[in-house]
Amino acid sequence: MTIGHSTPSPAKSRIANSMGKARILMEALPYIKAFRGKTVVIKHGGSTMDDPELQSSFAGDVTLLAMVGIRPVIVHGGGPQISQEMKRAGIVPEFVDGLRVTGPETVAVVQRVLAGDINPKLVGMLNAHGSAAVGLTGLDGGMLSAQTLVPKLGLVGEVTRVDTTLLDDLLEAAMVPVIAPLAAGPGGETLNLNADTAAAALAIALNAQKLIYLTDIEGVRRSEEDAATLISKMSQAELGELLARGEIGGGMRPKLESCRAALAGGVAQAHILDGRMQHALLLEIFTPEGIGTMVTP
Amino acid sequence: MTIGHSTPSPAKSRIANSMGKARILMEALPYIKAFRGKTVVIKHGGSTMDDPELQSSFAGDVTLLAMVGIRPVIVHGGGPQISQEMKRAGIVPEFVDGLRVTGPETVAVVQRVLAGDINPKLVGMLNAHGSAAVGLTGLDGGMLSAQTLVPKLGLVGEVTRVDTTLLDDLLEAAMVPVIAPLAAGPGGETLNLNADTAAAALAIALNAQKLIYLTDIEGVRRSEEDAATLISKMSQAELGELLARGEIGGGMRPKLESCRAALAGGVAQAHILDGRMQHALLLEIFTPEGIGTMVTP
Amino acid sequence: MTIGHSTPSPAKSRIANSMGKARILMEALPYIKAFRGKTVVIKHGGSTMDDPELQSSFAGDVTLLAMVGIRPVIVHGGGPQISQEMKRAGIVPEFVDGLRVTGPETVAVVQRVLAGDINPKLVGMLNAHGSAAVGLTGLDGGMLSAQTLVPKLGLVGEVTRVDTTLLDDLLEAAMVPVIAPLAAGPGGETLNLNADTAAAALAIALNAQKLIYLTDIEGVRRSEEDAATLISKMSQAELGELLARGEIGGGMRPKLESCRAALAGGVAQAHILDGRMQHALLLEIFTPEGIGTMVTP
Amino acid sequence: MTIGHSTPSPAKSRIANSMGKARILMEALPYIKAFRGKTVVIKHGGSTMDDPELQSSFAGDVTLLAMVGIRPVIVHGGGPQISQEMKRAGIVPEFVDGLRVTGPETVAVVQRVLAGDINPKLVGMLNAHGSAAVGLTGLDGGMLSAQTLVPKLGLVGEVTRVDTTLLDDLLEAAMVPVIAPLAAGPGGETLNLNADTAAAALAIALNAQKLIYLTDIEGVRRSEEDAATLISKMSQAELGELLARGEIGGGMRPKLESCRAALAGGVAQAHILDGRMQHALLLEIFTPEGIGTMVTP
Amino acid sequence: MTIGHSTPSPAKSRIANSMGKARILMEALPYIKAFRGKTVVIKHGGSTMDDPELQSSFAGDVTLLAMVGIRPVIVHGGGPQISQEMKRAGIVPEFVDGLRVTGPETVAVVQRVLAGDINPKLVGMLNAHGSAAVGLTGLDGGMLSAQTLVPKLGLVGEVTRVDTTLLDDLLEAAMVPVIAPLAAGPGGETLNLNADTAAAALAIALNAQKLIYLTDIEGVRRSEEDAATLISKMSQAELGELLARGEIGGGMRPKLESCRAALAGGVAQAHILDGRMQHALLLEIFTPEGIGTMVTP
Amino acid sequence: MTIGHSTPSPAKSRIANSMGKARILMEALPYIKAFRGKTVVIKHGGSTMDDPELQSSFAGDVTLLAMVGIRPVIVHGGGPQISQEMKRAGIVPEFVDGLRVTGPETVAVVQRVLAGDINPKLVGMLNAHGSAAVGLTGLDGGMLSAQTLVPKLGLVGEVTRVDTTLLDDLLEAAMVPVIAPLAAGPGGETLNLNADTAAAALAIALNAQKLIYLTDIEGVRRSEEDAATLISKMSQAELGELLARGEIGGGMRPKLESCRAALAGGVAQAHILDGRMQHALLLEIFTPEGIGTMVTP
């Protein structure tokens, strides 16, 4: 250290640091202004649900959304955990015309995993971060009514009616609903729903601003093998063409079909986000650098 | 009256029948008047939970209560089903000083059975009868906070705080809360609660008119072996004496301790009813012939 | 007591009796569910108003309706009592073209009997049964405006406007309005209304679920002399044909004309019930065996 | 018209006239400010009720009070009309220890005159002036409960409970309650009340700002024969002394006793006004020259 | 006048006087009934703003309106005071094509005079008379948005959007908004508005019953020089013709154009009143002798 | 750096950057949770009011507070601008016993600068950042009543009453009140208030969570010349001792006296912040590194 030259004093660097913080907080202002009072339906699922750090980051993000006046509604799946539990329960898969038959025993396992494992775990985590989360299934308050999709497949449902009375009450009270995708069938029996389509149905019925799918992929690619073809933003029309071309497959296809349905039903923005990235939700909603793929009308 | 005089015509007997119906409905009037707008906490449990006919009778009773403006809150246990599931899961019981240690694995089983099996089943049954039931655990909306009862026993909790915000909202909206007795521990971990004491804590916090235990016994007997010593009604003082004499044991003792606590906490009436009798709830609440045992201050 | 045969033990018969009670209460459930929150306009009149037992049965029925959340509105007439009082007052009937002229003196008698005798008596009886009844005339709160029906007949009115502000307030507060069929004429003078048509006008304005005429006849008969031709249920179209055939006469004709008007004005169900039967209201509304005649669109 | 002198031009006199009007309206400002939102209980009665011009002036005054946001509550008597009707009905007075026995027949006459004649007439007149008046008796909505004053005198009541639910609802909706002084006895029977004491009981229960007796006398005189001893204003203490001296008799004594009770019960101002003077109410409330006698704590 | 005939006693003359007062108050009743709950936008301006007596009369009138439940909204100008202040500040007028250029310095003076002098003075005066006045500019709560009228003239705006949220809140709370005619430009800069057109824009947005211009002229004359041609009342059509004839000039023309715009925008009545006359507002609104000129659709 | 090892890809650094942003947003969570729904009174003043960049940073901070549900209330002074304007207006200072006499002419200048210059400028700036700011003086809605502090000094006031009706309404509607420190004197005349004490009076009346003084100094120093003696946090008791020692002088003394008064009046936290630092408010409220000096009870 030579005369006349000082290393940056701690005070100065502290101020520079503070200014940086302030700048980032101010950057969030227009997003808070745009989205407060709006409902955001978030489908949370996939392999990321088993990573405690990602779970904690997710719980923090949702809590922050709720705290600034945005209305998050969480819908969760549980595919891997259900498969594991079915194996453990020794349920032998049965098929008709190549499709899995879902009998009462299977639905009981699904319900036990969704409502008995995943849902309370999510609620506990959200509340530990400061939310007032409330765990629900689509049966509660008559929220989701469904009919069997294909009779011979058994207890797999498609939504026929959404009653938002209970959700409206909870959102008005600033609580965070966490919903397991089960529905009441015509005779009151429990039906299993696809979580992606359930999320879209709820987003439409709640007149949501955003429907967000947290997945274990970076976003939608024009060409599946080429990471460089990641689509950052597309219109409803472009989504239609993409689906028509038939190149999208796997788990992404039903998600994109649900996005299309949601937009057609009045949802303003649909997103495919990479749930493996910490704070993906926060960054998407509160910073200018949107991440993943956004579809708008 | 001479020979050839006809038997009562169907019309007359139909009228007599109708008058009987009307009389019974009118008989309910003073009870509806007395209890509408009041909260009634009902602990539902025991072996009766496996009898479909009794379940249906229970669901009908609760729905009728809700329909005439009474506010039922259901708390359920699940002892037998939990034991069975633990066995199935191959969890080996561990004891310290003769008491069962409840580790995280056990709590996970408890949660899965209560929140994943029994709770949605009750909700589905109530809704099929016309209620707007909402399944909850004590974790939801921060409803039940607890601390571990005896540290070395693990994750068994005793209630330290009841937040009725969520329940108040649901009751105001004429919904029927169905609550699994789980609570959030100091660190956000799930604790298992005794359903009887959880029901009493909720009854006190909700300023309930009645706390009702649906059990698989006729009521409280002065002498346990003698059915003729069934107590139909007793005062808080008499209950105190009965407990002091130390003759009451088994599962009845904690129920009566909870009754005592509830009355001390401001609940107006505590009941031990025979859940094996169809429509026990309805008959207790809406007819002059009270059944089971009632304790009042 | 002989082998193999026991007389029913008191306990058993008591239980059988209780089960009977419970079954009847449960039978009412779907009706309570269907009608709670709905408005039911009940025209109460005729000779049955002088029978204390029938009055008490009526007051009990209305109170039970109000207690389970149905909104009863009572409209009463007072023909016989008015005739008697006019005689006592020595008013000599005057006729123009064969129709009775209703002068100011007559209206004063009508008002005195309706508002001063019958109305407070009904209110007192309802309140003694536990209702919060409020006695009104169509003048109160500007509820009923009318014009003279035929100028030369004097102060007989036909309703031109119904203002439900006052009734809406009372119903919202769970009170039971009891209305004497008087209205304010164009110059503020009191006009006498036909109670049957006033009830229909109120039912339409209140968007009532049901309009019920309690009369001193069993119901509508296809052929007036033949009790076996009692019509249990008919459609609006059938009612139109019946009236067109011109066979219905006497007091029944204006009631049925009012039913037709009410259905045309949006009321869902119109009933002619036998007010001489105790608890006719209760049985019609809460049991599957509808009584009297029901007309639906 | 001579040179140099002009008669006031019409324009000028019109302006002078207008300024006079404006001055009088402005004079009312502080009184409107002081009393809006406050309840004023007005006992209307006596011989002035038969004078159509005075009735119309009264109805106009009450309507103006209601229009500027003051909450008038009218209680009316009907002594002279009742006496006349009893005579007409040929009821022979019966006495016990020199006091009139009031049997069921007499109460029926009282009810018919109050609820059937005077009350609807007042309501009609008020509504014709633009009020939304609602005629009630103390039976309505369980407003006034009473017990018999002296058992052997029969159905004369003294107020034991005032339920203001109905009145609060009506006042909140800017309606003008007009109340006949009848009450429900312990068994639900109708009891006749003294209108002066009923007005005081209502003023206390409604936490009224003013209790006003409209009588057929100028006000309270220190010495009954000497018009020059009219008391314009006195304190509660002075009223106590005046009553203690025992010189006040006749109909004025019970009015002053009621004033004393009302002030003791929290009413801010009690007035004896001359109902024979047109617009007495208006002048008392809206102008600086208070008229009649005012008593304040 | 003969012997034995007394001069009118003071009491009699006092009563005559009182009756006169009562008559004038009663005369106001139909106007209060017609206008309570309605919004009245009053443009206050011109030379009368400097006369303390007229200011006090204005403040009293507005307060009385507010007290009886009418909703006054005051818009004020400040032309003379602004000119005077600009002179004092030594701002040299600049013209383009003969029109005054309004630069930032001028707007600062306008703002200082309107918001810093006239507005708080009016608020203080109104509050001293008993109003709850709140001083605002069109910037507050985003009430008035504007664009520059003619770009080269600088910061003179025309209203593009009115947000009544703030005004609705204040009127609901019975407060009296006092508004200086400033607006926010597209870039957030302050724009100066013509007070007459601002008042009309506010009257339309508030769905006002009346728009009143208090000016220093008697009213609108058919022929400007002839006082005898004062128009007391005209229709929207007649106003259109009058403006089309092109004879109306000076400051009256923009006022009448604003009246036309207001009526076209749904305002029910527009008035030109003589603000030099004390209590002009009161007399116009509360007495049958309307003053000035009224235009109605 | 060896072959085969890539330099960090832009994507990675972008992710690192994003994580940093997310961390800072998450850091704000506990503060938002703690302060939402709470009122924060901010005294804005001093030389920083003339720096456009600092003004913009201030406007952004306040807007962000409002957006996340905190309730900011701004009180501003205007010392330097007032002095400048008085000079310009040529007002010759007058003194009595060495203290400045504040005559009506001076108050007019104060009002013009505060209400006509500074207040609308702040409102405009806040609204341009997205707030719904409303400019007020203490006269509006009768918010601040005062009496003259020392009669011979003229129109300088001390607050005697705070009416928060208007502020409560605006805060409930999520608007941001911006208040110039003027009050109504006993006779309705405008009195000038010290902005620091006005802010404290408002903070007490509003039951504020925080009272923040934005000054042009870093914070409170134990020894005024020694920057190293900056006090970061002290208790109410320590503040008392500091003031008692008498070493604090200049403009800081009245601020600290106001802090002491505010804490005594129930305000939870009082702050002296350096308004020369950009986003001082944001950093103080939303980050763990509190800045300036905080005093707590």
Side-chain angles (χ1 to χ4, degrees), chain A residues 211-230:
Chain A
L211 168 63
I212 298 176
Y213 288 102
L214 276 177
T215 67
D216 41 13
I217 201 165
E218 227 183 320
V220 185
R221 293 176 184 170
R222 220 165 280 284
S223 156
E224 229 163 289
E225 284 90 63
D226 186 357
T229 65
L230 184 71

Side-chain angles (χ1 to χ4, degrees), chain E residues 121-139:
Chain E
K121 206 162 126 194
L122 270 172
V123 167
M125 182 108 46
L126 283 162
N127 288 351
H129 277 77
S131 287
V134 176
L136 301 169
T137 78
L139 303 174

Side-chain angles (χ1 to χ4, degrees), chain E residues 19-40:
Chain E
M19 285 305 102
K21 284 190 178 188
R23 210 180 43 246
I24 286 161
L25 289 168
M26 287 312 301
E27 213 181 72
L29 178 53
Y31 301 97
I32 296 175
K33 211 168 121 188
F35 298 133
R36 66 199 305 249
K38 303 284 172 60
T39 299
V40 174

